Amino acid sequence: MSFEWLHPLLIATALVLAVIGAVRRVNLWRAGKPDRINLIAGLMAMPGRYLHDLHDIVERDKYMSKTHAATGGGFVLSALLIILVHLLGIDNQILAWALLAALALMFVGALFVFKRRLNPPSRISKGPWMRLPKSLLAFAGAFFVLTLPAAGVLPEGSGGVLLTVILTVLIIWGMGELFFGMTWGGPMKHAFAGALHLAFHRRQERFGGGRSTGLKPVDLSLAKEIGGVLGVAKPTDFKWNQLLGFDACVQCGKCEAMCPAFAAGQPLNPKKLIQDMVVGLAGGTDANYAGSPYPGKEVGNAKGGPDHIITDGLIDPETLWSCTTCRACVEECPMMIEHVDAIVDMRRYLTMERGKTPNKGAEVLDNIIATDNPNGYAPASRTNWAADQNLPLMRDVKQAEVLFWVSDGAFDMRSQRILRAFVKLLKAASVDFAVLGDEELDSGDVARRLGDDATFQSLAKRNLEVLSQYKFSKIVTTDPHAYHCLRNEYSDFGSDALDGVEVLHHTTFLNQLVQLGRLKLNNFSGAKVTYHDPCYLGRYNGEYEAPRELLRSMGIEIAEMERSGFRSRCCGGGGGAPITDIPGERRIADMRMEDASSTGAELVAVGCQQCTAMLEGVVEPRPEVKDIAEILMDQLVDPSVENPRQDRLAEEVH
Amino acid sequence: MPSNLPEVIGMQPNQFNVDVANKLKVVSLVSVGKHPQSGRMRRADQDSRAVELGLKLTGDNHSGESLTVLHAGDPSEPSLRSYAGMGLKSVRVLQLDPAADAILPLGQHLQQCGADIVLTGVRAESGESSGMVPYQLAEKLGWPIVPRVADIVSVKGGVAEVLQALPRGQRRSVMVRLPFIASVDSAAPEARQSAFGPASRALMDIEVVSASVDDVRQAWEEAAARKRPKRLKVVKAKTAAERFKAATAKSQGDGGKVMKNESAAEQAQAIFDLLKEEGVLR
């Protein structure tokens, strides 16, 4: 081969340019707000997070996980060896052979990438991404040939000028994509940004299976500072590691395929949203975006920059309000991007700075502020539903084993049936419980998801104040949204009211009671039953098993829907979506009911009053909808019939 | 005084049009509201509609440059901030002793600031809630008052075209010369959302004023209102349409007559006679 000096020079140039690009890109991220992250610990943990947390998600698609392991692993290995062999010119046959093996691995992987791209599903982005497999093949192929002499397969200097020219072109192309493109914004950017995103993730606790949201309380004192903004108005108002996270997107569209709002034809596509964030942080337009648009909205009109207000030209507020915060996208994202937290961050600006919560949003927030419940009922009527239940009040008893958190279902006649069923079960199991009565307030879930963090914080602090007056070892609630707030979001307020308290969803608690034999159940003899996982119970809190075990304990064989467990489809009722009510082509609840109907089930078991309301809102004929507490109540072996003294016995045992 | 009575004109409102908008000075009077269910202090519903109308008149783009939102009372009352949350830079507060009568300082202030249009709610949600403030101010200033407006359609050449709200969605269009006072009905456009950021940021522009103590009110005792007993209405309707009518129809009111073609003198005489008959004039 001629021009021996040429290739090392090219490699060096590509690497230098890559480093310059990296510095440039890092500076784009650094324009964001500071966030406290232990950089060293993050970097140390990164390989583990890649091999464990990230790979677990990619592994759900076996084809892609193997392809990626071959291509990505092969590339990383080749890149290191190329530097040793070709740039530093270390003349070592073993190294050269290792490089050949790595390149071969990468080449085979790239062939599979190529194959997938032959007939790509609609969810994945085209455009520059269609070029990527060819670039990978060019890189691997060209370096393979270039390495043959070093491995002693070909004599030094073999091949003519033509071969050298071809190889040089391929190498420039390959390195342009893989070294230069990695930091200058090509498809390979995902490797660079993605690795750092894993290291400096906004929700570090996520990697130990920790349950949280990245929705840290807004610093409300910003409202009084000059130039202070509540929530995220411009891309630079995000934390720097959120910006980094957006840049990690591979545009695989797994989020898009799972998003209920996208499926319903509402103007939201999580993938496009993240790409618009990238447009925002880097500046420019979305003209180069080559994936599915927001339903009903054309691509190419969005413009943004780091200091432009996002909702003025980059993203339509309707897009942000379409989200049900179900986290299907977050669960599915192989790059572990946090779409939902970003959406709520931007909603905070719209609500707290602009006063632009759409449709019923403003009214609901006003009601919550004035009456501590979203429908504006008299606060003193919160316990009216239990007028005939003779419930012990915490105010009177001061302590109990279980605090039953009733939630705003208290005001809704359908939800009251769930509450009554649960009370009956508690009494049947002789649980020592009490309620807060009128001292309980809205949990703040809706206020927070609608972006009014001021109201969320006020409710949380007042609820914690009340809770701190009483003694209890467990809080049990039938509302997964309140459950999530109490369990995961109230801990930010420095109160010791919940220290050492176990927060449980009623299905978890009832399952414990059944396992302990404190609830005796008849076998369920009805028709086929399916179970709908509430998002805030499942994806937010990882409780998939207890409700299913409860159903099984009644002899029910669950006819699982195609989308169940962590892939459960939202009912459409989360995140204030029924309040902001952004129009689409279909209703999310209808789609979910179709999922249920297609199992042939005649009963949908649910663990959330919001899901119950949404699914029962679907026109008949459809399967019946019942909360698990209601199903259990119907199967309860009546202790007064079987053994009149069982109540007291149970108490003595307990 | 017949010359101050609003003149009734055609029912079709024109597009909104203010040709003196840059000079127009609107003052919205706001009080501390009270939520009917929780009794918690809040921005009063009608008063916030008065602010909304004021924002519309002065143009949203000028951030309410010529709109003054005025309160007489305690400047530290947090619910005042929820008016500011509608996007106001400041709220003007005449700081008063709670026992003082606000009419005199309010009147003085309005006169001094050269207000063209003063908007109030029909009645406050707390305190006396007598609905007398706009009338007493009008009397004090010698300005016309237009009660229960739903909208101000245009202001041209010192005359405003105002839509008054009548029962069952009816509107009456009246022309009134500036300056005037209008009380804003619940039929007026709903107030925009109050946002926490602007609410916290707004300036409380305080002026300490003194006023005589409202002696009459001192002697009163405040108690929660009780609903008066109401005779049950027996609906004998047979069809859904009849039931709907019975539920929605309001009596047109007996007596009264519409005088359109008579001369001004005849119309004035009819009003005069009516006022005498009702014992308003003696």
Side-chain angles (χ1 to χ4, degrees):
Chain A
M1 254 173 280
S2 343
F3 310 116
E4 297 292 337
W5 49 270
L6 181 62
H7 296 130
L9 184 69
L10 281 177
I11 295 168
T13 312
L15 288 175
V16 168
L17 286 175
V19 170
I20 295 171
V23 173
R24 232 180 111 258
R25 206 78 205 171
V26 168
N27 280 329
L28 288 179
W29 305 329
R30 279 165 49 99
K33 296 257 178 296
D35 191 21
R36 283 175 156 222
I37 292 288
N38 188 337
L39 298 182
I40 305 295
L43 284 171
M44 302 278 283
M46 190 252 285
R49 288 171 184 179
Y50 176 80
L51 293 171
H52 179 248
D53 301 89
L54 186 141
H55 194 74
D56 282 356
I57 300 173
V58 180
E59 187 67 15
R60 290 171 193 168
D61 181 351
K62 291 270 187 321
Y63 179 100
M64 218 41 230
S65 85
K66 292 202 174 83
T67 304
H68 190 265
T71 323
F75 167 65
V76 171
L77 210 55
S78 323
L80 292 174
L81 290 167
I82 282 170
I83 292 172
L84 296 179
V85 174
H86 291 293
L87 182 66
L88 304 178
I90 298 173
D91 194 8
N92 180 326
Q93 290 245 339
I94 299 172
L95 278 183
W97 276 104
L99 176 54
L100 283 181
L103 285 166
L105 182 66
M106 179 180 168
F107 194 87
V108 171
L111 281 176
F112 282 97
V113 180
F114 187 82
K115 191 176 155 224
R116 167 148 291 200
R117 287 268 161 190
L118 284 179
N119 191 11
S122 71
R123 62 176 168 80
I124 67 177
S125 288
K126 317 295 185 296
W129 292 87
M130 297 306 281
R131 184 183 74 209
L132 184 60
K134 294 165 207 156
S135 311
L136 293 169
L137 290 173
F139 181 93
F143 272 108
F144 191 88
V145 177
L146 194 68
T147 310
L148 289 177
V153 180
L154 289 177
E156 292 287 333
S158 58
V161 177
L162 183 66
L163 179 65
T164 310
V165 170
I166 292 173
L167 278 185
T168 306
V169 169
L170 290 178
I171 282 171
I172 291 176
W173 176 15
M175 287 197 308
E177 185 81 272
L178 288 150
F179 291 159
F180 178 77
M182 183 180 287
T183 58
W184 287 84
M188 282 305 292
K189 183 187 69 180
H190 79 271
F192 171 54
L196 294 180
H197 169 58
L198 285 182
F200 310 138
H201 198 281
R202 170 112 161 102
R203 232 159 34 90
Q204 295 278 318
E205 62 276 16
R206 182 175 174 179
F207 301 104
R211 302 290 164 186
S212 66
T213 44
L215 301 176
K216 303 290 180 287
V218 173
D219 178 4
L220 297 175
S221 70
L222 277 174
K224 293 201 172 114
E225 263 171 42
I226 298 164
V229 169
L230 302 172
V232 168
K234 305 165 183 162
T236 49
D237 292 331
F238 281 113
K239 304 286 184 214
W240 70 272
N241 47 1
Q242 284 178 291
L243 295 178
L244 164 59
F246 303 145
D247 238 357
C249 176
V250 283
Q251 303 192 41
C252 65
K254 296 240 160 116
C255 50
E256 170 187 320
M258 281 297 153
C259 177
F262 180 81
Q266 289 173 282
L268 171 63
N269 174 350
K271 181 176 82 173
K272 171 80 162 72
L273 181 97
I274 296 302
Q275 283 314 304
D276 282 349
M277 295 290 102
V278 175
V279 167
L281 77 94
T285 73
D286 67 340
N288 293 328
Y289 173 73
S292 329
Y294 298 125
K297 296 215 189 294
E298 251 174 70
V299 173
N301 305 322
K303 240 192 295 189
D307 285 311
H308 293 180
I309 291 186
I310 295 168
T311 44
D312 293 348
L314 186 57
I315 289 184
D316 188 332
E318 280 206 338
T319 295
L320 302 177
W321 296 114
S322 297
C323 177
T324 66
T325 70
C326 75
R327 264 197 183 172
C329 51
V330 177
E331 180 71 43
E332 211 61 35
C333 180
M335 301 309 286
M336 312 191 88
I337 298 170
E338 301 280 344
H339 316 61
V340 174
D341 293 345
I343 287 174
V344 175
D345 279 340
M346 292 184 275
R347 285 181 178 187
R348 286 172 166 178
Y349 168 71
L350 289 173
T351 293
M352 288 197 288
E353 290 291 355
R354 290 273 191 96
K356 292 249 189 268
T357 322
N359 290 327
K360 288 282 172 193
E363 188 185 323
V364 165
L365 290 175
D366 272 352
N367 282 337
I368 295 176
I369 292 168
T371 62
D372 304 321
N373 69 76
N375 291 310
Y377 294 114
S381 66
R382 187 174 277 274
T383 327
N384 286 6
W385 70 276
D388 57 346
Q389 299 286 313
N390 197 18
L391 298 184
L393 282 176
M394 268 297 181
R395 199 187 291 131
D396 304 331
V397 297
K398 304 291 180 205
Q399 59 177 332
E401 188 206 341
V402 169
L403 171 69
F404 171 28
W405 186 272
V406 176
S407 86
D408 288 336
F411 293 105
D412 173 64
M413 287 172 81
R414 174 66 184 88
S415 307
Q416 286 167 12
R417 279 171 27 210
I418 303 173
L419 298 175
R420 281 165 196 281
F422 184 58
V423 166
K424 190 168 176 191
L425 294 167
L426 286 176
K427 286 182 174 166
S430 308
V431 175
D432 167 30
F433 76 101
V435 296
L436 289 175
D438 294 343
E439 287 187 291
E440 189 187 303
L441 312 175
D442 178 276
S443 66
D445 168 71
V446 167
R448 178 162 252 200
R449 299 326 129 182
L450 287 180
D452 190 350
D453 215 49
T455 302
F456 170 77
Q457 291 182 26
S458 152
L459 288 167
K461 284 176 190 160
R462 287 184 289 144
N463 273 328
L464 285 166
E465 179 70 38
V466 170
L467 290 171
S468 67
Q469 297 167 22
Y470 306 120
K471 274 206 187 111
F472 46 88
S473 57
K474 290 186 180 89
I475 295 189
V476 181
T477 176
T478 51
D479 175 10
H481 295 262
Y483 168 55
H484 170 67
C485 287
L486 287 163
R487 183 176 176 213
N488 302 321
E489 296 191 348
Y490 274 23
S491 49
D492 289 328
F493 296 97
S495 163
D496 57 3
L498 294 176
D499 284 356
V501 172
E502 217 184 335
V503 184
L504 297 171
H505 186 245
H506 71 305
T507 54
T508 316
F509 183 65
L510 288 171
N511 191 37
Q512 288 175 2
L513 293 181
V514 171
Q515 302 302 322
L516 289 172
R518 285 172 68 181
L519 280 175
K520 294 267 180 295
L521 301 167
N522 287 322
N523 261 6
F524 181 84
S525 52
K528 217 169 183 184
V529 180
T530 188
Y531 170 67
H532 164 76
D533 288 274
C535 310
Y536 277 72
L537 182 62
R539 276 187 292 269
Y540 274 77
N541 285 293
E543 181 60 278
Y544 303 110
E545 219 17 68
R548 289 185 166 78
E549 218 167 278
L550 267 180
L551 290 172
R552 283 196 292 267
S553 69
M554 290 179 279
I556 294 175
E557 218 178 289
I558 306 163
E560 290 285 3
M561 291 183 252
E562 193 188 322
R563 288 192 178 185
S564 64
F566 70 84
R567 279 205 168 129
S568 168
R569 195 207 296 263
C570 177
C571 69
I579 298 164
T580 54
D581 199 21
I582 302 301
E585 287 158 23
R586 285 167 291 280
R587 290 179 67 252
I588 296 174
D590 289 348
M591 297 189 301
R592 188 53 174 164
M593 196 45 102
E594 269 168 40
D595 293 350
S597 304
S598 65
T599 64
E602 285 171 37
L603 175 65
V604 185
V606 178
C608 168
Q609 63 212 21
Q610 190 71 26
C611 298
T612 312
M614 294 305 290
L615 295 177
E616 276 195 345
V618 175
V619 287
E620 294 195 323
R622 52 153 174 77
E624 209 183 340
V625 181
K626 270 188 179 175
D627 192 275
I628 291 184
E630 294 176 283
I631 302 173
L632 282 174
M633 183 186 75
D634 291 343
Q635 304 314 120
L636 192 63
V637 178
D638 195 340
S640 54
V641 177
E642 222 172 80
N643 180 357
R645 289 193 61 240
Q646 190 167 347
D647 258 10
R648 199 183 299 162
L649 276 178
E651 223 167 64
E652 283 163 10
V653 171
H654 162 70
Chain B
M1 281 184 291
S3 66
N4 268 349
L5 280 178
E7 174 194 344
V8 177
I9 60 150
M11 292 294 290
Q12 282 304 312
N14 307 321
Q15 281 289 306
F16 177 69
N17 182 347
V18 179
D19 62 359
V20 288
N22 19 10
K23 286 170 272 166
L24 190 71
K25 193 155 176 41
V26 181
V27 178
S28 295
L29 298 186
V30 298
S31 59
V32 176
K34 203 168 183 181
H35 193 275
Q37 297 297 336
S38 66
R40 219 171 277 173
M41 296 304 163
R42 62 158 185 178
R43 67 175 172 159
D45 180 65
Q46 288 172 339
D47 292 359
S48 53
R49 285 172 202 260
V51 175
E52 181 65 43
L53 187 54
L55 284 168
K56 181 196 136 186
L57 286 173
T58 54
D60 299 351
N61 301 335
H62 305 100
S63 342
E65 263 168 16
S66 49
L67 171 71
T68 309
V69 172
L70 182 63
H71 173 73
D74 179 7
S76 61
E77 171 58 44
S79 57
L80 289 180
R81 293 216 166 260
S82 53
Y83 291 105
M86 296 167 73
L88 308 172
K89 293 243 156 47
S90 66
V91 175
R92 192 142 178 75
V93 184
L94 305 180
Q95 188 169 359
L96 272 181
D97 188 84
D101 187 352
I103 295 296
L104 202 62
L106 275 178
Q108 276 169 355
H109 186 88
L110 291 174
Q111 199 124 46
Q112 280 162 17
C113 75
D116 295 310
I117 300 177
V118 176
L119 302 170
T120 73
V122 172
R123 62 171 53 186
E125 294 175 355
S126 58
E128 286 173 44
S129 190
S130 64
M132 290 301 286
V133 169
Y135 293 93
Q136 290 184 339
L137 282 174
E139 188 186 33
K140 194 129 283 172
L141 297 164
W143 293 358
I145 167 155
V146 190
R148 293 196 174 271
V149 309
D151 200 1
I152 295 179
V153 184
S154 72
V155 182
K156 263 186 225 153
V159 178
E161 186 189 347
V162 180
L163 284 186
Q164 265 186 309
L166 302 178
R168 285 190 290 156
Q170 298 180 84
R171 299 286 182 269
R172 178 196 289 142
S173 173
V174 298
M175 306 290 280
V176 55
R177 242 183 300 282
L178 305 180
F180 68 96
I181 296 179
S183 64
V184 178
D185 190 83
S186 301
E190 203 177 333
R192 68 194 60 188
Q193 188 176 359
S194 173
F196 181 85
S200 326
R201 233 167 265 140
L203 178 76
M204 286 291 148
D205 182 6
I206 301 167
E207 186 185 325
V208 183
V209 294
S210 58
S212 54
V213 171
D214 189 347
D215 294 323
V216 183
R217 192 180 156 185
Q218 288 297 84
W220 291 355
E221 222 173 88
E222 227 174 279
R226 263 188 311 175
K227 274 210 171 126
R228 284 195 212 153
K230 224 164 84 185
R231 198 176 290 278
L232 281 177
K233 207 163 57 176
V234 182
V235 179
K236 286 181 186 138
K238 290 225 165 64
T239 67
E242 282 171 2
R243 274 194 298 277
F244 180 73
K245 214 171 148 195
T248 56
K250 273 192 193 161
S251 65
Q252 285 280 5
D254 308 322
K257 52 187 167 185
V258 179
M259 299 175 76
K260 267 185 178 167
N261 303 321
E262 289 81 352
S263 72
E266 272 178 84
Q267 291 175 343
Q269 186 63 43
I271 293 169
F272 185 73
D273 288 346
L274 178 72
L275 293 178
K276 256 190 133 162
E277 195 184 309
E278 295 288 334
V280 179
L281 294 177
R282 259 168 244 168

